[in-house]
């Protein structure tokens, strides 16, 4: 009886150790991805091609990481949901989009494209006054400015000329209602 309890305790300890290792690995990926995405979004206006290359790299690595360990990805976005900042939000959106895409059976290449669109979805917010972005009770004028971020992001990304139509569509339509009635 004592041997069995000790074996069960060792098995639980092993499972917890493996879980900690997986979460640590996911955390390191997340921190690196957040830094890279934050820098890429800030640099987009000056060097959009390099910014897209960096976002594509993050999407590719994140897709591989998520396919290898989706549970850790879910834990991370739940943990980081309170983080302020564009990068944390973009990573959460990307992770959820990739999880949905995986569940829908999309091939890895399509997941990678979905990840890029998700990471760039709020690109158009860069030129909007932060006080408008933070305000959840915007007046009509502020709301119309806020709603321009989808088109602005699409236009900026389209000018680069290296994103596919599905990536651009993700940026343009990310606030579209399911019934296509608009923002």
């Amino acid at each position: 009886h004592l041997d069995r309890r000790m074996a069960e305790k060792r098995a639980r300890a092993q499972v917890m150790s493996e879980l900690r290792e997986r979460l640590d690995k996911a955390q390191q990926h997340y921190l690196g991805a957040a830094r890279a995405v934050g820098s890429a979004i800030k640099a987009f206006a000056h060097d959009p091609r390099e910014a897209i290359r960096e976002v594509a790299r993050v999407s590719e690595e994140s897709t591989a990481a998520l396919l290898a360990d989706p549970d850790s990805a879910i834990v991370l976005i739940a943990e980081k949901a309170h983080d302020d900042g564009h990068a944390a939000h973009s990573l959460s959106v990307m992770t959820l989009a990739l999880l949905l895409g995986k569940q829908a059976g999309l091939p890895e290449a399509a997941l990678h494209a979905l990840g890029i669109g998700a990471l760039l979805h709020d690109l158009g917010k860069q030129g909007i006054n932060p006080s408008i972005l933070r305000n959840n009770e915007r007046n009509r004028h502020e709301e119309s400015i806020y709603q321009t971020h989808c088109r602005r992001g699409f236009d900026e990304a389209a000018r680069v000329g290296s994103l596919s139509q599905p990536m651009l569509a993700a940026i343009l339509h990310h606030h579209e209602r399911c019934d296509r009635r608009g923002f």
Side-chain angles (χ1 to χ4, degrees):
H1 186 65
L2 185 59
D3 288 340
R4 186 184 60 157
R5 282 195 305 191
M6 288 302 291
E8 289 172 355
K9 186 175 180 179
R10 279 193 296 276
R12 280 193 307 275
Q14 179 64 31
V15 167
M16 290 305 294
S17 176
E18 290 170 5
L19 178 59
R20 271 189 224 94
E21 285 177 25
R22 287 174 38 213
L23 288 173
D24 286 347
K25 184 177 178 181
Q27 174 87 3
Q28 290 307 311
H29 171 76
Y30 179 91
L31 293 173
R35 279 191 300 273
V37 169
S39 295
I41 296 300
K42 286 177 187 156
F44 194 92
H46 305 297
D47 192 354
R49 290 192 185 280
E50 179 56 33
I52 288 173
R53 276 192 291 276
E54 188 63 11
V55 167
R57 182 191 62 77
V58 169
S59 176
E60 188 173 343
E61 290 175 2
S62 297
T63 300
L66 182 116
L67 291 174
D69 188 7
D71 295 336
S72 293
I74 292 170
V75 169
L76 271 179
I77 61 169
E79 182 181 300
K80 301 293 183 186
H82 59 72
D83 283 4
D84 290 334
H86 183 80
H89 172 67
S90 292
L91 287 169
S92 293
V93 169
M94 178 198 63
T95 302
L96 292 172
L98 291 175
L99 288 168
L100 288 169
K102 179 181 180 239
Q103 188 65 33
L106 294 179
E108 193 166 342
L111 290 173
H112 177 56
L114 181 63
I116 292 170
L119 286 171
L120 294 174
H121 79 279
D122 275 342
L123 182 64
K125 286 184 175 180
Q126 290 301 302
I128 296 177
N129 187 318
S131 66
I132 292 174
L133 297 175
R134 286 191 300 268
N135 184 0
N136 291 329
E137 297 180 20
R138 294 180 276 273
N139 62 38
R140 265 188 264 153
H141 174 70
E142 292 169 332
E143 184 61 24
S144 68
I145 291 170
Y146 176 78
Q147 288 184 11
T148 66
H149 83 271
C150 300
R151 172 57 66 181
R152 291 176 68 187
F154 171 85
D155 290 344
E156 287 178 49
R159 269 194 293 277
V160 179
S162 62
L163 295 178
S164 68
Q165 283 304 85
M167 293 174 198
L168 293 170
I171 297 168
L172 180 61
H173 300 296
H174 74 272
H175 279 286
E176 185 73 29
R177 296 174 191 254
C178 293
D179 63 5
R180 298 198 162 273
R181 287 186 305 139
F183 201 94

